[in-house]
Amino acid sequence: MTIATLAATEGVFRSVCPFDCPDTCGLHITLKDGKVTNVTGDPDHPVTKGAICNKVRQLPDRVHHPDRLLQPMRRVGPKGTLEFEPISWDAAYEEIVSRMKDIIHRYGAESILPYSFYGNMGVLNAEGMDRRFFHRLGASLLDRSICNAAGAAGYKYTMGGSIGIDPEETVHTKLFLIWGCNLVSTNMHQTMLATEARRHGAKIVHIDVHRNRTSAWADEFVHVRPGTDGALALGMMHILIRDGLVNESFIRENTIGYKELKDQTDQYPPEVASDITGVPIDQLESLARLYGTTTPSFIRIGNGLQHHDNGGMIVRTISCLPAMTGQWDQIGGGAMKGNGWYSRLNNDRLERIDLLPDPGVRTVNMNQLGDALLTMDPPVRMLFVYNSNPAIVAPDQSKVREGLLREDLFTVTHDLFLTDTCKYADIVLPATSHLENLDLYASYWHLYLQLGEPILSPAGESKSNFTLFKELALRMGFEPELFDLTEEDMIREALDAEFNPLLQGITVESLREHGWMKAGGGRRIPLSERIPTPSGKIELYSEAMLASGLPPVPTYTPLREETDFPFWLTTGPNHSYINSTFANQSKLQKLEKQPTLHMNEQDAARLGIGDGERVLVRNERGEAKLTIKLGRDVLPGVLVTQGLWWDDEEHGRSSVNALTPQRLADMGGGATFFSNRVEVVKL
Ligand SMILES: Nc1nc2c(c(=O)[nH]1)N[C@H]1C(S)=C(S)[C@@H](COP(=O)(O)OP(=O)(O)OC[C@H]3O[C@@H](n4cnc5c(=O)[nH]c(N)nc54)[C@H](O)[C@@H]3O)O[C@H]1N2
Ligand SMILES: Nc1nc2c(c(=O)[nH]1)N[C@H]1C(S)=C(S)[C@@H](COP(=O)(O)OP(=O)(O)OC[C@H]3O[C@@H](n4cnc5c(=O)[nH]c(N)nc54)[C@H](O)[C@@H]3O)O[C@H]1N2
Ligand code: SF4
Ligand SMILES: [Mo]
């Protein structure tokens, strides 16, 4: 296929998927008359291999959606009522700049809070010009802890950083443990690699609280109770040690703390582990023996585990398993939770945290936005939201919305659509789609860096995050040498990262020429070069944890039962949306039908609830109306709902985050979206 030159208005263009998904696919975009008519996977991309998910096949509907925001707007009615009038960018900038200056003068820059996440994963638009702007301003810092913080912290204690195996190696794997990960929906190219391995005899085991699409695809399903995976891993280790299935020489050479870990596992004989997890003893025994006798084996650690109160420790515990059987030495052996370490960019240079006028400025945890808006002292006076939709995605939604309704809060939102968060804004700004601007993309799963070029002109008057924060900086009178840059200038700064030798040879030019470049150039990084723990070894015992007040060896702590409500509810993402992105597209809504609540038939019989019935799920924080799906997909006492739906008065939809707590997980300030106690009431 011929790739069109950038100046062309028709043809097939190379691009990158910008969404918060590990796969970061290479895309082929077909343009006709300046419109996107088709999106497919780049057949030459080494990981994408021509396949993309159904969500992004609907990208033309998103980019050319009739609801795209096309010009800035100002609120003219009460907050939340959607009464806006169009204004010019000049007027919008003038208002934002004068409010910022006034707030800084009266209350200090700290009372301004940026709120963003990875609605667009492009480096410049997610953590480039925006960060530099807010640092120079002196705004409160935001701890971007909503996604992988707890698990990343837990994994880091064991392995030293977000460093797993190169997923391309997993075609050689003989045993896959897909652990707390809904792979078929959330990382489809890992299923492609595992399917290839299966053709050569690999076995795939899914460990989850929910028998879902991934369980149907796997060869075996292990049904665990929520938040008990730490005990499952310790039980497996107990059996490995008991049966002499550990690799003593690997442990001696590459780990510290085996003795302490071994002592700990004494407390988890199969009866105990089975009792805690709900996994039958036979299955636990056979799982541990399979793990102990299969090489290479690979554990894909999902994000589901870390969204529990004890999530950091769960990931920490599971990440000790591959060392026990010496997997890290094997091609296709080990684990993967995140792989950000390989393509580390020069973020210091990009974000310029050194520009902070007061390095002691406060940090706000994004999982506690509700409290930040309602109780923080000195109060947040201005909130600037981009790349995120906190009215839907942030926990404890009632508090978030109460905060957003504050009359004395000045809120600016920048998005492609009038999201539920924009409803509360004073100024709404239109954002470009990623097809309308240049950016650099790095995956947190595979090892390729990619360049996404602008192939469409901006819709209406929309501007990219990069342009918005650059222009705001210049209007604030900030130094042109820091802000009056082109996107290419900044990409060069990001790639200029001497501390990361794996980026050698990766330049704007080489990315343009090849489309993508692999960190490390395809060389397999020896284990000794990728354990940046304090000891340089895999830490089964961690002094750093002890110093932080955490148990230094893997430890199982039961989930906290905050109330007497009878059910555990987990509230994960669904197949057709990405967080709340795509939830406003009718084709994808139709596929998801409605927000569903999976309930065990025993519980339903006891409560007299029938399949398809609408129920009210509630706890001390709020309520959500959901439609019952009965079966044995969840264990008794457990409920699962999927998807972050937009507000919908007509169907009585509201995001399940009305139920979730602002409580932080055990590590990294992570979110606890999955540790909810709730009750279910017939409507
Ligand atoms: N289709 C789609 N893809 C996505 C996203 C999306 O919204 N939709 N979101 C993207 C983002 S931002 C992320 S972070 C990832 C998330 O994708 P994943 O890493 O797959 O994480 P989750 O889907 O949050 O949860 C994974 C699984 O954990 C299970 N789970 C919950 N609690 C427990 C537990 O205590 N033990 C065990 N063993 N399992 C448990 C859930 O049932 C779920 O099947 O996906 C990315 N990709
Ligand atoms: N209950 C529950 N809550 C969850 C989760 C869960 O599993 N359960 N998952 C959590 C996780 S893992 C994550 S990562 C978060 C995700 O939370 P968010 O990062 O808020 O993700 P989205 O809902 O996709 O919202 C991203 C927004 O960015 C906008 N956007 C896209 N591109 C651009 C751009 O270039 N510029 C600007 N200005 N805006 C843009 C999109 O239109 C969209 O409205 O949600 C968390 N919330
Ligand atoms: S959402 Fe994920 S799987 Fe779908 S095209 Fe984008 S990167 Fe690929
Ligand atoms: Mo996430």
Side-chain angles (χ1 to χ4, degrees):
M1 181 175 299
T2 328
I3 298 294
T5 56
L6 286 177
T9 52
E10 293 212 352
V12 177
F13 297 78
R14 204 155 53 194
S15 187
V16 187
C17 179
F19 298 112
D20 190 351
C21 168
D23 302 45
T24 317
C25 289
L27 302 179
H28 274 182
I29 309 277
T30 308
L31 289 190
K32 219 172 162 210
D33 301 329
K35 295 253 175 201
V36 181
T37 55
N38 197 27
V39 179
T40 53
D42 186 335
D44 301 321
H45 188 287
V47 180
T48 306
K49 295 196 175 119
I52 55 166
C53 64
N54 185 46
K55 308 179 284 291
V56 171
R57 284 203 292 269
Q58 315 308 320
L59 191 65
D61 290 350
R62 176 172 167 88
V63 172
H64 304 297
H65 199 292
D67 297 344
R68 272 282 300 265
L69 290 170
L70 299 176
Q71 60 192 132
M73 298 192 297
R74 185 199 336 250
R75 178 170 69 86
V76 289
K79 291 195 176 190
T81 58
L82 289 173
E83 288 171 47
F84 294 104
E85 66 175 14
I87 54 171
S88 67
W89 269 100
D90 270 337
Y93 279 144
E94 264 163 41
E95 179 151 0
I96 296 169
V97 167
S98 77
R99 292 298 286 258
M100 273 185 176
K101 287 188 168 162
D102 178 56
I103 287 171
I104 293 172
H105 176 69
R106 290 206 282 167
Y107 311 107
E110 199 174 49
S111 46
I112 299 173
L113 177 67
Y115 195 95
S116 76
F117 207 62
Y118 291 89
N120 175 347
M121 293 265 300
V123 173
L124 300 190
N125 283 291
E127 48 193 32
M129 196 52 105
D130 55 318
R131 307 284 178 103
R132 189 177 289 193
F133 172 77
F134 286 110
H135 290 155
R136 172 67 181 78
L137 195 69
S140 283
L141 297 172
L142 184 73
D143 188 0
R144 291 177 172 80
S145 49
I146 206 165
C147 177
N148 67 343
Y155 190 90
K156 188 174 178 185
Y157 282 126
T158 309
M159 297 302 299
S162 287
I163 317 167
I165 67 169
D166 176 351
E168 285 177 278
E169 275 187 15
T170 61
V171 292
H172 302 293
T173 303
K174 291 293 177 213
L175 172 64
F176 288 80
L177 299 192
I178 312 299
W179 205 324
C181 188
N182 188 7
L183 208 67
V184 169
S185 295
T186 63
N187 184 195
M188 65 170 271
H189 292 81
Q190 182 63 71
T191 62
M192 286 163 56
L193 294 161
T195 301
E196 189 174 338
R198 178 149 66 182
R199 275 198 286 274
H200 307 294
K203 182 168 180 181
I204 301 166
V205 180
H206 181 220
I207 307 173
D208 208 292
V209 301
H210 182 207
R211 195 187 299 270
N212 54 28
R213 286 173 195 255
T214 302
S215 331
W217 159 82
D219 301 309
E220 186 184 335
F221 178 55
V222 180
H223 214 165
V224 285
R225 296 200 182 106
T228 64
D229 303 78
L232 181 61
L234 285 162
M236 286 172 67
M237 291 176 195
H238 180 102
I239 297 168
L240 294 175
I241 294 168
R242 183 197 67 194
D243 295 356
L245 295 173
V246 293
N247 184 331
E248 307 252 354
S249 67
F250 180 91
I251 290 173
R252 215 169 26 246
E253 278 156 38
N254 299 287
T255 73
I256 58 164
Y258 178 60
K259 158 114 193 20
E260 289 86 344
L261 177 60
K262 193 164 172 263
D263 291 347
Q264 178 79 337
T265 61
D266 286 349
Q267 297 172 46
Y268 294 90
E271 316 74 76
V272 173
S274 166
D275 199 43
I276 295 171
T277 60
V279 177
I281 292 183
D282 288 355
Q283 192 179 27
L284 174 59
E285 288 275 0
S286 70
L287 176 66
R289 268 198 300 276
L290 185 66
Y291 190 71
T293 55
T294 314
T295 294
S297 67
F298 168 62
I299 309 179
R300 174 67 169 93
I301 305 175
N303 276 343
L305 303 163
Q306 72 198 340
H307 284 160
H308 285 291
D309 285 299
N310 57 4
M313 186 57 100
I314 290 179
V315 173
R316 147 82 173 147
T317 305
I318 295 172
S319 65
C320 290
L321 266 168
M324 311 265 309
T325 64
Q327 290 308 312
W328 292 107
D329 266 353
Q330 310 290 321
I331 294 182
M336 213 292 300
K337 157 81 176 63
N339 264 344
W341 178 84
Y342 291 93
S343 28
R344 277 163 304 141
L345 299 165
N346 196 341
N347 279 72
D348 286 348
R349 175 109 183 259
L350 262 185
E351 301 181 12
R352 294 298 305 267
I353 190 132
D354 58 297
L355 295 174
L356 270 183
D358 169 13
V361 69
R362 73 182 171 198
T363 299
V364 174
N365 187 311
M366 71 186 299
N367 297 319
Q368 298 178 322
L369 179 64
D371 282 350
L373 294 179
L374 291 175
T375 61
M376 200 152 242
D377 188 32
V380 177
R381 305 275 174 180
M382 176 173 185
L383 180 72
F384 204 126
V385 181
Y386 58 100
N387 276 1
S388 185
N389 185 11
I392 297 293
V393 308
D396 205 353
Q397 187 172 95
S398 325
K399 291 250 175 81
V400 170
R401 299 213 181 183
E402 198 186 323
L404 289 171
L405 277 170
R406 257 178 52 200
E407 270 312 317
D408 60 340
L409 177 73
F410 181 70
T411 301
V412 180
T413 59
H414 183 226
D415 205 296
L416 287 80
F417 295 101
L418 200 62
T419 61
D420 292 305
T421 308
C422 297
K423 289 197 299 202
Y424 300 89
D426 295 279
I427 300 279
V428 176
L429 303 171
T432 47
S433 79
H434 84 292
L435 298 178
E436 298 154 37
N437 48 262
L438 178 70
D439 214 328
L440 172 69
Y441 299 85
S443 163
Y444 51 89
W445 170 66
H446 66 58
L447 272 48
Y448 294 86
L449 286 111
Q450 301 167 80
L451 208 58
E453 305 270 5
I455 57 175
L456 283 179
S457 37
E461 296 174 18
S462 62
K463 291 182 195 276
S464 68
N465 303 2
F466 176 91
T467 305
L468 162 65
F469 290 109
K470 166 178 160 171
E471 292 180 349
L472 259 184
L474 297 174
R475 282 174 185 255
M476 286 294 290
F478 293 166
E479 302 72 4
E481 61 276 23
L482 293 176
F483 292 96
D484 198 4
L485 306 174
T486 64
E487 281 134 319
E488 226 177 275
D489 294 334
M490 237 177 163
I491 293 176
R492 286 181 205 283
E493 292 182 350
L495 289 170
D496 181 14
E498 253 175 42
F499 59 86
N500 184 2
L502 304 183
L503 295 184
Q504 231 167 48
I506 304 184
T507 60
V508 173
E509 288 70 26
S510 67
L511 286 166
R512 267 208 178 114
E513 189 185 338
H514 303 285
W516 52 82
M517 297 285 290
K518 189 170 186 175
R523 179 177 75 99
R524 186 171 198 268
I525 321 297
L527 181 62
S528 57
E529 287 175 32
R530 52 180 163 103
I531 323 180
T533 54
S535 64
K537 305 269 183 196
I538 297 171
E539 299 202 347
L540 309 176
Y541 175 94
S542 160
E543 283 292 339
M545 294 184 81
L546 194 63
S548 309
L550 294 161
V553 283
T555 301
Y556 166 68
T557 314
L559 286 185
R560 194 140 51 108
E561 299 206 11
E562 42 173 2
T563 57
D564 299 334
F565 294 124
F567 289 100
W568 285 116
L569 169 71
T570 72
T571 61
N574 67 8
H575 188 76
S576 303
Y577 309 159
I578 297 191
N579 306 312
S580 75
T581 295
F582 290 114
N584 61 335
Q585 284 183 226
S586 57
K587 270 191 209 158
L588 294 168
Q589 285 168 349
K590 281 197 190 101
L591 290 174
E592 290 294 332
K593 298 194 184 84
Q594 65 215 343
T596 301
L597 185 70
H598 297 266
M599 179 184 266
N600 188 283
E601 50 202 23
Q602 285 177 27
D603 289 326
R606 193 168 36 79
L607 295 173
I609 293 175
D611 197 34
E613 225 176 279
R614 293 238 301 154
V615 293
L616 192 67
V617 184
R618 65 182 182 201
N619 63 14
E620 71 281 18
R621 286 176 290 272
E623 57 184 47
K625 288 182 194 136
L626 301 166
T627 302
I628 289 282
K629 176 91 180 63
L630 284 189
R632 278 179 249 164
D633 292 347
V634 293
L635 294 169
V638 178
L639 302 168
V640 169
T641 179
Q642 293 177 305
L644 293 170
W645 302 68
W646 290 29
D647 284 0
D648 181 337
E649 247 96 275
E650 192 190 338
H651 298 92
R653 279 175 198 157
S654 64
S655 155
V656 290
N657 278 320
L659 300 159
T660 57
Q662 295 185 63
R663 217 171 47 236
L664 301 180
D666 54 350
M667 293 177 200
T672 56
F673 290 115
F674 294 2
S675 289
N676 310 290
R677 294 300 282 181
V678 297
E679 65 177 344
V680 178
V681 195
K682 275 166 80 86
L683 268 179

